[in-house]
PDB file of all heavy atoms in Angstrom:
ATOM      1  N   HIS A  25      17.154   8.721   4.254  1.00  0.00           N
ATOM      2  CA  HIS A  25      17.789   7.773   5.164  1.00  0.00           C
ATOM      3  C   HIS A  25      17.530   6.361   4.613  1.00  0.00           C
ATOM      4  O   HIS A  25      16.838   5.550   5.242  1.00  0.00           O
ATOM      5  CB  HIS A  25      17.220   7.904   6.613  1.00  0.00           C
ATOM      6  CG  HIS A  25      17.428   9.265   7.180  1.00  0.00           C
ATOM      7  ND1 HIS A  25      18.540   9.605   7.869  1.00  0.00           N
ATOM      8  CD2 HIS A  25      16.635  10.349   7.125  1.00  0.00           C
ATOM      9  CE1 HIS A  25      18.494  10.865   8.238  1.00  0.00           C
ATOM     10  NE2 HIS A  25      17.312  11.379   7.797  1.00  0.00           N
ATOM     11  N   PRO A  26      18.073   6.029   3.433  1.00  0.00           N
ATOM     12  CA  PRO A  26      17.680   4.814   2.741  1.00  0.00           C
ATOM     13  C   PRO A  26      18.290   3.566   3.432  1.00  0.00           C
ATOM     14  O   PRO A  26      19.380   3.614   3.977  1.00  0.00           O
ATOM     15  CB  PRO A  26      18.230   4.992   1.337  1.00  0.00           C
ATOM     16  CG  PRO A  26      19.395   5.929   1.494  1.00  0.00           C
ATOM     17  CD  PRO A  26      19.059   6.813   2.686  1.00  0.00           C
ATOM     18  N   TRP A  27      17.537   2.506   3.330  1.00  0.00           N
ATOM     19  CA  TRP A  27      18.063   1.187   3.741  1.00  0.00           C
ATOM     20  C   TRP A  27      17.305   0.133   2.898  1.00  0.00           C
ATOM     21  O   TRP A  27      16.219   0.378   2.443  1.00  0.00           O
ATOM     22  CB  TRP A  27      17.939   0.945   5.209  1.00  0.00           C
ATOM     23  CG  TRP A  27      16.535   0.899   5.746  1.00  0.00           C
ATOM     24  CD1 TRP A  27      15.695   1.935   5.952  1.00  0.00           C
ATOM     25  CD2 TRP A  27      15.818  -0.294   6.123  1.00  0.00           C
ATOM     26  NE1 TRP A  27      14.493   1.481   6.460  1.00  0.00           N
ATOM     27  CE2 TRP A  27      14.546   0.111   6.550  1.00  0.00           C
ATOM     28  CE3 TRP A  27      16.110  -1.643   6.134  1.00  0.00           C
ATOM     29  CZ2 TRP A  27      13.593  -0.761   7.002  1.00  0.00           C
ATOM     30  CZ3 TRP A  27      15.157  -2.543   6.603  1.00  0.00           C
ATOM     31  CH2 TRP A  27      13.909  -2.109   7.019  1.00  0.00           C
ATOM     32  N   SER A  28      17.941  -1.029   2.722  1.00  0.00           N
ATOM     33  CA  SER A  28      17.351  -2.013   1.809  1.00  0.00           C
ATOM     34  C   SER A  28      16.499  -3.056   2.601  1.00  0.00           C
ATOM     35  O   SER A  28      17.025  -3.790   3.447  1.00  0.00           O
ATOM     36  CB  SER A  28      18.472  -2.748   1.074  1.00  0.00           C
ATOM     37  OG  SER A  28      17.913  -3.913   0.473  1.00  0.00           O
ATOM     38  N   HIS A  29      15.223  -3.099   2.284  1.00  0.00           N
ATOM     39  CA  HIS A  29      14.352  -4.101   2.932  1.00  0.00           C
ATOM     40  C   HIS A  29      14.775  -5.505   2.485  1.00  0.00           C
ATOM     41  O   HIS A  29      14.593  -6.465   3.227  1.00  0.00           O
ATOM     42  CB  HIS A  29      12.912  -3.904   2.475  1.00  0.00           C
ATOM     43  CG  HIS A  29      12.370  -2.532   2.849  1.00  0.00           C
ATOM     44  ND1 HIS A  29      11.477  -1.845   2.106  1.00  0.00           N
ATOM     45  CD2 HIS A  29      12.638  -1.749   3.914  1.00  0.00           C
ATOM     46  CE1 HIS A  29      11.186  -0.709   2.684  1.00  0.00           C
ATOM     47  NE2 HIS A  29      11.910  -0.629   3.790  1.00  0.00           N
ATOM     48  N   ASN A  30      15.303  -5.622   1.283  1.00  0.00           N
ATOM     49  CA  ASN A  30      15.696  -6.949   0.783  1.00  0.00           C
ATOM     50  C   ASN A  30      16.955  -7.456   1.533  1.00  0.00           C
ATOM     51  O   ASN A  30      16.965  -8.578   2.023  1.00  0.00           O
ATOM     52  CB  ASN A  30      16.012  -6.860  -0.720  1.00  0.00           C
ATOM     53  CG  ASN A  30      14.786  -6.493  -1.513  1.00  0.00           C
ATOM     54  OD1 ASN A  30      13.655  -6.680  -1.004  1.00  0.00           O
ATOM     55  ND2 ASN A  30      14.979  -5.949  -2.679  1.00  0.00           N
ATOM     56  N   ASP A  31      17.967  -6.618   1.621  1.00  0.00           N
ATOM     57  CA  ASP A  31      19.207  -7.020   2.297  1.00  0.00           C
ATOM     58  C   ASP A  31      18.972  -7.341   3.752  1.00  0.00           C
ATOM     59  O   ASP A  31      19.615  -8.199   4.330  1.00  0.00           O
ATOM     60  CB  ASP A  31      20.293  -5.965   2.168  1.00  0.00           C
ATOM     61  CG  ASP A  31      20.584  -5.570   0.728  1.00  0.00           C
ATOM     62  OD1 ASP A  31      20.104  -6.302  -0.182  1.00  0.00           O
ATOM     63  OD2 ASP A  31      21.285  -4.563   0.495  1.00  0.00           O
ATOM     64  N   HIS A  32      17.974  -6.673   4.336  1.00  0.00           N
ATOM     65  CA  HIS A  32      17.626  -6.886   5.722  1.00  0.00           C
ATOM     66  C   HIS A  32      17.290  -8.352   5.998  1.00  0.00           C
ATOM     67  O   HIS A  32      17.499  -8.863   7.103  1.00  0.00           O
ATOM     68  CB  HIS A  32      16.395  -5.994   6.029  1.00  0.00           C
ATOM     69  CG  HIS A  32      15.801  -6.180   7.360  1.00  0.00           C
ATOM     70  ND1 HIS A  32      16.410  -5.825   8.534  1.00  0.00           N
ATOM     71  CD2 HIS A  32      14.599  -6.753   7.760  1.00  0.00           C
ATOM     72  CE1 HIS A  32      15.629  -6.122   9.554  1.00  0.00           C
ATOM     73  NE2 HIS A  32      14.559  -6.676   9.113  1.00  0.00           N
ATOM     74  N   PHE A  33      16.796  -9.084   4.961  1.00  0.00           N
ATOM     75  CA  PHE A  33      16.379 -10.491   5.168  1.00  0.00           C
ATOM     76  C   PHE A  33      17.480 -11.490   4.831  1.00  0.00           C
ATOM     77  O   PHE A  33      17.250 -12.703   4.899  1.00  0.00           O
ATOM     78  CB  PHE A  33      15.116 -10.789   4.317  1.00  0.00           C
ATOM     79  CG  PHE A  33      13.888 -10.160   4.953  1.00  0.00           C
ATOM     80  CD1 PHE A  33      13.455  -8.920   4.562  1.00  0.00           C
ATOM     81  CD2 PHE A  33      13.218 -10.818   5.935  1.00  0.00           C
ATOM     82  CE1 PHE A  33      12.349  -8.329   5.125  1.00  0.00           C
ATOM     83  CE2 PHE A  33      12.110 -10.262   6.542  1.00  0.00           C
ATOM     84  CZ  PHE A  33      11.639  -9.009   6.136  1.00  0.00           C
ATOM     85  N   HIS A  34      18.692 -10.995   4.506  1.00  0.00           N
ATOM     86  CA  HIS A  34      19.749 -11.969   4.205  1.00  0.00           C
ATOM     87  C   HIS A  34      20.095 -12.842   5.387  1.00  0.00           C
ATOM     88  O   HIS A  34      20.395 -14.025   5.263  1.00  0.00           O
ATOM     89  CB  HIS A  34      21.014 -11.204   3.712  1.00  0.00           C
ATOM     90  CG  HIS A  34      20.862 -10.639   2.349  1.00  0.00           C
ATOM     91  ND1 HIS A  34      21.874  -9.915   1.729  1.00  0.00           N
ATOM     92  CD2 HIS A  34      19.826 -10.693   1.455  1.00  0.00           C
ATOM     93  CE1 HIS A  34      21.440  -9.545   0.530  1.00  0.00           C
ATOM     94  NE2 HIS A  34      20.205  -9.992   0.358  1.00  0.00           N
ATOM     95  N   GLY A  35      20.023 -12.267   6.582  1.00  0.00           N
ATOM     96  CA  GLY A  35      20.280 -13.044   7.819  1.00  0.00           C
ATOM     97  C   GLY A  35      19.288 -14.183   7.936  1.00  0.00           C
ATOM     98  O   GLY A  35      19.660 -15.330   8.315  1.00  0.00           O
ATOM     99  N   TRP A  36      18.028 -13.897   7.635  1.00  0.00           N
ATOM    100  CA  TRP A  36      16.990 -14.950   7.689  1.00  0.00           C
ATOM    101  C   TRP A  36      17.343 -16.112   6.747  1.00  0.00           C
ATOM    102  O   TRP A  36      17.231 -17.289   7.065  1.00  0.00           O
ATOM    103  CB  TRP A  36      15.619 -14.340   7.289  1.00  0.00           C
ATOM    104  CG  TRP A  36      14.506 -15.314   7.244  1.00  0.00           C
ATOM    105  CD1 TRP A  36      13.737 -15.720   8.285  1.00  0.00           C
ATOM    106  CD2 TRP A  36      14.058 -16.061   6.102  1.00  0.00           C
ATOM    107  NE1 TRP A  36      12.842 -16.682   7.849  1.00  0.00           N
ATOM    108  CE2 TRP A  36      12.970 -16.866   6.516  1.00  0.00           C
ATOM    109  CE3 TRP A  36      14.399 -16.082   4.745  1.00  0.00           C
ATOM    110  CZ2 TRP A  36      12.292 -17.711   5.665  1.00  0.00           C
ATOM    111  CZ3 TRP A  36      13.716 -16.913   3.860  1.00  0.00           C
ATOM    112  CH2 TRP A  36      12.665 -17.729   4.352  1.00  0.00           C
ATOM    113  N   ILE A  37      17.854 -15.751   5.540  1.00  0.00           N
ATOM    114  CA  ILE A  37      18.259 -16.797   4.587  1.00  0.00           C
ATOM    115  C   ILE A  37      19.457 -17.591   5.111  1.00  0.00           C
ATOM    116  O   ILE A  37      19.446 -18.825   5.131  1.00  0.00           O
ATOM    117  CB  ILE A  37      18.584 -16.124   3.223  1.00  0.00           C
ATOM    118  CG1 ILE A  37      17.324 -15.607   2.566  1.00  0.00           C
ATOM    119  CG2 ILE A  37      19.364 -17.092   2.300  1.00  0.00           C
ATOM    120  CD1 ILE A  37      17.518 -14.862   1.298  1.00  0.00           C
ATOM    121  N   LEU A  38      20.451 -16.883   5.582  1.00  0.00           N
ATOM    122  CA  LEU A  38      21.712 -17.578   6.004  1.00  0.00           C
ATOM    123  C   LEU A  38      21.456 -18.499   7.181  1.00  0.00           C
ATOM    124  O   LEU A  38      22.148 -19.512   7.315  1.00  0.00           O
ATOM    125  CB  LEU A  38      22.791 -16.541   6.309  1.00  0.00           C
ATOM    126  CG  LEU A  38      23.188 -15.619   5.153  1.00  0.00           C
ATOM    127  CD1 LEU A  38      24.286 -14.660   5.581  1.00  0.00           C
ATOM    128  CD2 LEU A  38      23.626 -16.432   3.923  1.00  0.00           C
TER     129      LEU A  38
END
Side-chain angles (χ1 to χ4, degrees):
H25 300 273
W27 64 284
S28 166
H29 301 146
N30 297 338
D31 303 350
H32 174 70
F33 286 94
H34 288 179
W36 178 85
I37 289 175
L38 299 181

